């Protein structure tokens, strides 16, 4: 079992006509996820060059905590609103580099 801290970035591009609806959904997800016991950080950004592309930046104590939250809570809510997407979800896991 991997207990190392995990950092995940998720990019969501949505149809500009549904911006407010999509933002409300993501605000709810971010607020709920931030209070999860093993959440270290959960932030929502918009890309500077495209306000219709949003980025979720997540830091969790463990991969298991991330997977529990993402797979069973966040992703089903996001997928319910997939008709608002302009492109498929993209995501990356990041590894912290020691300096």
């Amino acid at each position: 079992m991997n207990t190392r801290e995990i950092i995940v970035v998720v990019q969501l591009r949505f149809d500009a006509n549904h911006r407010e609806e999509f933002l409300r959904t993501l605000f709810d997800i971010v607020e709920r996820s931030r209070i999860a016991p093993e959440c270290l950080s959960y932030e929502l950004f918009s890309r500077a060059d495209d306000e219709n592309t949003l980025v979720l930046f997540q830091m969790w104590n463990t991969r298991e905590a991330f997977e529990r939250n993402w797979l069973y809570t966040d992703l089903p809510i996001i997928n319910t609103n997939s008709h608002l997407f302009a492109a498929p979800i993209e995501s990356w896991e990041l590894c912290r580099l020691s300096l």
Side-chain angles (χ1 to χ4, degrees):
M1 179 187 314
N2 184 0
T3 59
R4 188 181 72 172
E5 175 184 285
I6 183 170
I7 302 167
V8 178
V9 178
V10 178
Q11 179 174 280
L12 305 159
R13 287 189 37 215
F14 59 92
D15 183 322
N17 296 323
H18 299 288
R19 180 177 173 74
E20 293 308 313
E21 180 181 356
F22 199 72
L23 283 174
R24 277 193 304 277
T25 298
L26 288 179
F27 288 159
D28 289 343
I29 288 172
V30 170
E31 286 179 4
R32 182 198 32 73
S33 296
R34 282 180 175 166
I35 62 173
E38 295 184 82
C39 180
L40 301 174
S41 180
Y42 204 114
E43 303 298 329
L44 176 63
F45 300 92
S46 114
R47 285 193 33 181
D49 62 342
D50 179 4
E51 69 177 11
N52 296 320
T53 298
L54 301 179
V55 177
L56 293 169
F57 178 86
Q58 308 175 47
M59 294 178 66
W60 295 87
N61 276 337
T62 65
R63 169 176 290 289
E64 291 76 16
F66 161 73
E67 289 175 350
R68 263 192 316 274
N69 189 77
W70 185 251
L71 295 176
Y72 300 114
T73 307
D74 296 352
L75 193 56
I77 294 170
I78 289 171
N79 283 338
T80 298
N81 291 284
S82 63
H83 63 284
L84 306 178
F85 290 169
I89 296 173
E90 294 182 45
S91 65
W92 306 269
E93 182 176 338
L94 305 177
C95 295
R96 188 180 303 270
L97 297 176
S98 299
L99 299 176

